[in-house]
């Protein structure tokens, strides 16, 4: 599953998260962390030397009404960092046009990696995706990051310039710099799922385990 963020003004991709799990509050938190923080450590871990300067706290997150976007974790994190949550009206799929276009563009070559699923039965022939899969999850992350880099450098028909150029123009026109978390190492924790517990004399009980400290 892919969780993807797109900046509506410049069409750049601030971040994404790829997982073998179903979409959840955790996958949303991981994608937001990548979107907000500088990408250099993430790129270095995957031996990538791409230019991906997009980062910073957004003012507003536009979301559809999927359950993972209505989690307490996301609401709490956004409240702590001054991010407004704006949900699109129900039964209005055209509101998601921006991100659908980016997914089609960056994932348009998604049928190139070995093991791709083919939706139309008549196109499959004797092809069996499960037997052809050859990419690990980190390899697929690396491949997708390369697709994002290509997309960032390609002229966008609605903008007249590549998204990355639009991003640099946007930064040059801002009267104040982008906001960043004061404690980057804590940022992810503030968006992860949490449980509320009352502190009692004998400590805290969570998942049938008791925790206590003087």
């Amino acid at each position: 599953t892919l969780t993807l963020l797109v900046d509506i003004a410049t069409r750049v991709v601030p971040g994404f998260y790829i997982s073998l799990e179903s979409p959840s509050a955790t996958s949303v938190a991981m994608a937001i962390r990548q979107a907000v923080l500088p990408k250099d450590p993430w790129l270095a871990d995957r031996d990538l030397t791409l230019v991906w300067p997009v980062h910073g706290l957004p003012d507003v997150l536009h979301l559809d009404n999927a359950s993972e976007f209505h989690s307490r974790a996301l609401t709490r994190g956004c409240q702590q960092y001054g991010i407004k949550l704006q949900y699109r009206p129900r039964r209005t799929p055209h509101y998601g046009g921006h991100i659908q276009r980016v997914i089609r563009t960056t994932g348009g070559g998604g049928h190139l990696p070995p093991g791709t699923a083919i939706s139309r039965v008549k196109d499959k022939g004797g092809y069996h995706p499960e037997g052809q899969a050859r990419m690990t999850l980190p390899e697929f992350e690396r491949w997708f990051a390369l697709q994002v880099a290509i997309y960032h450098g390609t002229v966008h028909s609605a903008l007249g310039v590549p998204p990355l150029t639009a991003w640099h123009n946007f930064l040059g026109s801002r009267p104040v710099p982008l906001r960043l978390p004061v404690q980057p190492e804590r940022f992810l924790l503030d968006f992860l799922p949490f449980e509320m517990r009352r502190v009692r004399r004998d400590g805290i009980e969570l998942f049938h385990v008791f925790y206590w400290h003087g």
Side-chain angles (χ1 to χ4, degrees):
T1 58
L2 168 68
T3 303
L4 184 73
L5 289 91
V6 177
D7 178 59
I8 294 178
T10 65
R11 302 299 204 279
V12 294
V13 174
F16 65 85
Y17 181 67
I18 296 172
S19 171
L20 298 177
E21 306 296 331
S22 299
S24 65
T26 299
S27 61
V28 173
M30 298 295 287
I32 290 177
R33 177 180 68 169
Q34 191 193 46
V36 169
L37 300 181
K39 312 294 186 292
D40 292 345
W42 188 92
L43 293 170
D45 285 345
R46 289 154 185 80
D47 295 323
L48 290 168
T49 56
L50 306 176
V51 177
W52 195 0
V54 184
H55 59 271
L57 287 163
D59 295 321
V60 182
L61 283 179
H62 297 264
L63 310 156
D64 63 27
N65 289 282
S67 59
E68 61 267 23
F69 297 139
H70 286 275
S71 68
R72 293 185 305 160
L74 179 61
T75 300
R76 180 192 66 171
C78 288
Q79 287 174 343
Q80 289 187 238
Y81 291 92
I83 302 171
K84 180 181 177 182
L85 290 174
Q86 188 171 65
Y87 296 94
R88 78 185 188 199
R90 295 182 182 277
R91 294 184 293 278
T92 54
H94 59 281
Y95 274 81
H98 295 304
I99 198 159
Q100 293 298 334
R101 173 172 178 168
V102 173
I103 290 175
R104 286 196 301 270
T105 302
T106 56
H111 289 302
L112 295 177
T116 178
I118 299 176
S119 56
R120 298 203 305 176
V121 175
K122 68 177 184 178
D123 293 336
K124 288 186 178 181
Y127 179 79
H128 299 287
E130 295 85 354
Q132 299 296 321
R134 293 292 184 275
M135 299 179 79
T136 64
L137 191 58
E139 286 171 343
F140 186 74
E141 287 178 333
R142 191 175 189 276
W143 176 87
F144 191 79
L146 290 169
Q147 306 312 303
V148 170
I150 294 171
Y151 161 75
H152 278 167
T154 304
V155 174
H156 193 287
S157 59
L159 300 174
V161 297
L164 203 55
T165 299
W167 172 261
H168 288 303
N169 293 341
F170 161 72
L171 291 182
S173 65
R174 280 181 61 89
V176 294
L178 291 172
R179 298 184 299 137
L180 284 170
V182 177
Q183 295 180 292
E185 67 282 355
R186 181 177 173 79
F187 182 73
L188 175 63
L189 299 180
D190 293 328
F191 282 84
L192 288 176
F194 63 96
E195 293 285 340
M196 299 296 292
R197 288 293 186 271
R198 186 182 301 277
V199 180
R200 303 180 183 279
R201 293 182 62 184
D202 55 352
I204 296 173
E205 184 270 329
L206 181 63
F207 306 129
H208 308 295
V209 177
F210 283 88
Y211 299 86
W212 181 90
H213 191 277

